[in-house]
Amino acid sequence: MSPQKKSTFFKRIAHYGPRRTFNKLQQRILQRFHGYPRSILLQAVSACNLKCEHCFLNNFGKEIGDGVIRILPYDDFIARADKIKHLIRHVHSFYFSGFEALLHKDLFRMMDYIVSINPAIEFPIMTNGNSFTPRIFDELTKHPIPEISVSLDGISRETVESFKTGAVFEKTVETIKTLVSLDLNASIGTVFVLHKGNRHEFIDYLDFVNDLGVKDVYVTNLMSFTPALRDRYLYTPDSNPELDTLFSRTIEKAKKNRQSLTLPATHAMLKGCTQWNLLFIDIVGNVAPCDYLSVSTPFELFGETQQTRPLIFGNIMNDDILSIWNGKAFKKFRAMHRSGKKLPGHCRLCADAWGLVCSNRTVYDFR
């Protein structure tokens, strides 16, 4: 093992603890040798309390005519979970939505049911920070939540609320403060979606969240779905010295604050998408590579646009889940992303497959 890998390994033990680190390694071995996914997202919430212009959910019923806005009833969720019990027993992480899972009134009952299947499972939470209640804060202390990532795209009300339609800046900040103050065995991080409208606050952002007690900062670029967003993102097809300089300054700030900073690429680099190791099941039970490809999502990248039909490999209510996951077509699709050498046609204009959003980011851990 190289010195760098050793350092990363021991940092993980220090951060997650020996038990969680061992569980993660064990699940990776199972995934590699037995053909299991690493994580499952069984969509119980296909909805949000915000109406952000840049989110593809806002195009459901418009450009995305087959998109379904819905919150799955508890009994329907249990019926679907029962269909995939065998896989739930062998994964480490479970998600309830790629949108705002906290909107579901039975979220923590659903967690309890999944824990009854796999007592070692964990539930990372991604949230916009505007749907918390005293009950939710209390329930978080009673469930295996390893990390909570709160979306905060600036350090001022004007910047945040002009980008996140319906968000309340002060409420998001108070949510972060409360989460940091709770007795949670979870890391509290923030997600910053970088675009032309908030880059002026990016350098100071690390100090701002550091003062709130946040040590994990995740940065993504703005993902474009329609030409309307073409002039708002900062990444480029080729070299990008301006953004490189901005990132270098931010890395120095993270080092000074002893924070962990996760950064995307500044220009397009073919890398593939890391969702290949996630089993995604949409709100109607279809298995797709991701939430984007479960519906007719349009993509825009550097002026070129594409909209394809959904890419569905089966439905868990009609087909055996292992047969779907290990089917030839689905395995070939995942292998293409895993290799990062050639993209499936559906993904060629997805910025995430080019290292520009969430997948294959670089971690600078100074904690």
Side-chain angles (χ1 to χ4, degrees):
M1 185 183 291
S2 69
Q4 183 177 4
K5 287 185 177 180
K6 283 183 180 179
S7 175
T8 300
F9 178 73
F10 286 115
K11 280 185 178 180
R12 284 177 178 168
I13 292 178
H15 183 60
Y16 294 114
R19 181 184 174 190
R20 282 173 59 190
T21 302
F22 174 77
N23 285 341
K24 286 174 179 285
L25 290 173
Q26 184 182 48
Q27 295 303 327
R28 289 192 179 189
I29 292 170
L30 286 171
Q31 189 274 331
R32 182 177 180 86
F33 292 103
H34 296 284
Y36 298 133
R38 192 174 299 172
S39 306
I40 293 174
L41 193 160
L42 176 53
Q43 196 171 67
V45 178
S46 176
C48 189
N49 52 330
L50 306 184
K51 300 290 183 183
C52 304
E53 178 189 357
H54 64 279
C55 179
F56 83 117
L57 181 67
N58 203 42
N59 293 328
F60 279 23
K62 303 171 187 175
E63 291 92 343
I64 306 176
D66 52 358
V68 178
I69 295 178
R70 183 186 178 195
I71 294 179
L72 194 68
Y74 175 79
D75 289 342
D76 289 354
F77 174 84
I78 298 304
R80 294 180 187 185
D82 285 344
K83 289 286 187 178
I84 60 170
K85 267 187 177 181
H86 179 64
L87 289 189
I88 292 174
R89 293 190 182 102
H90 295 286
V91 299
H92 184 263
S93 303
F94 192 100
Y95 301 84
F96 298 88
S97 178
F99 301 109
E100 188 65 21
L102 294 174
L103 293 180
H104 205 299
K105 65 182 179 64
D106 294 311
L107 175 64
F108 297 103
R109 284 181 68 201
M110 295 189 297
M111 286 187 185
D112 291 338
Y113 188 75
I114 298 302
V115 168
S116 74
I117 299 171
N118 179 355
I121 208 162
E122 295 180 332
F123 307 104
I125 290 179
M126 300 170 288
T127 174
N128 57 49
N130 281 251
S131 54
F132 282 77
T133 64
R135 173 182 168 269
I136 288 175
F137 284 123
D138 180 59
E139 290 287 354
L140 289 174
T141 66
K142 304 172 183 176
H143 290 83
I145 315 292
E147 55 189 332
I148 303 173
S149 302
V150 183
S151 180
L152 180 66
D153 306 306
I155 63 174
S156 67
R157 178 193 296 176
E158 179 183 2
T159 298
V160 170
E161 294 184 5
S162 64
F163 183 62
K164 282 278 199 306
T165 308
V168 178
F169 173 69
E170 289 82 2
K171 184 170 186 178
T172 308
V173 171
E174 284 304 313
T175 292
I176 295 169
K177 288 180 179 178
T178 303
L179 288 171
V180 170
S181 70
L182 290 177
D183 185 21
L184 293 173
N185 187 26
S187 62
I188 310 301
T190 56
V191 178
F192 184 93
V193 180
L194 179 63
H195 56 91
K196 289 183 179 179
N198 66 1
R199 62 180 168 186
H200 63 289
E201 295 185 353
F202 187 38
I203 299 295
D204 294 330
Y205 180 84
L206 272 78
D207 285 336
F208 182 83
V209 297
N210 190 57
D211 289 342
L212 298 178
V214 172
K215 291 297 183 181
D216 294 286
V217 178
Y218 303 94
V219 180
T220 76
N221 283 303
L222 176 65
M223 188 162 177
S224 179
F225 299 102
T226 67
L229 297 174
R230 170 68 182 91
D231 295 326
R232 299 180 65 178
Y233 52 78
L234 294 167
Y235 47 85
T236 56
D238 302 306
S239 61
N240 194 339
E242 180 182 354
L243 196 53
D244 287 338
T245 299
L246 182 62
F247 278 13
S248 294
R249 293 177 60 196
T250 310
I251 292 167
E252 288 303 312
K253 182 65 68 75
K255 185 175 183 180
K256 172 179 172 290
N257 292 341
R258 300 182 67 84
Q259 291 167 297
S260 176
L261 176 65
T262 302
L263 292 174
T266 59
H267 64 277
M269 296 184 284
L270 179 58
K271 293 187 175 185
C273 173
T274 53
Q275 283 213 174
W276 64 265
N277 57 27
L278 168 79
L279 171 62
F280 174 84
I281 302 166
D282 75 5
I283 200 75
V284 296
N286 287 329
V287 177
C290 63
D291 46 3
Y292 302 133
L293 297 185
S294 67
V295 292
S296 302
T297 302
F299 294 95
E300 186 279 332
L301 188 63
F302 307 129
E304 189 176 354
T305 59
Q306 169 180 288
Q307 185 169 16
T308 61
R309 295 170 63 87
L311 185 59
I312 308 299
F313 292 102
N315 187 288
I316 63 169
M317 304 308 292
N318 304 319
D319 309 302
D320 175 70
I321 186 58
L322 275 176
S323 297
I324 299 172
W325 179 257
N326 291 318
K328 184 177 179 180
F330 201 2
K331 288 180 73 173
K332 180 180 178 181
F333 182 95
R334 299 199 305 272
M336 292 178 74
H337 277 285
R338 188 167 59 247
S339 70
K341 295 177 181 178
K342 184 180 179 181
L343 294 177
H346 279 71
C347 308
R348 67 183 190 88
L349 295 183
C350 177
D352 197 31
W354 294 89
L356 298 168
V357 188
C358 299
S359 293
N360 292 301
R361 288 176 291 182
T362 301
V363 179
Y364 300 89
D365 193 346
F366 302 111
R367 290 170 300 186

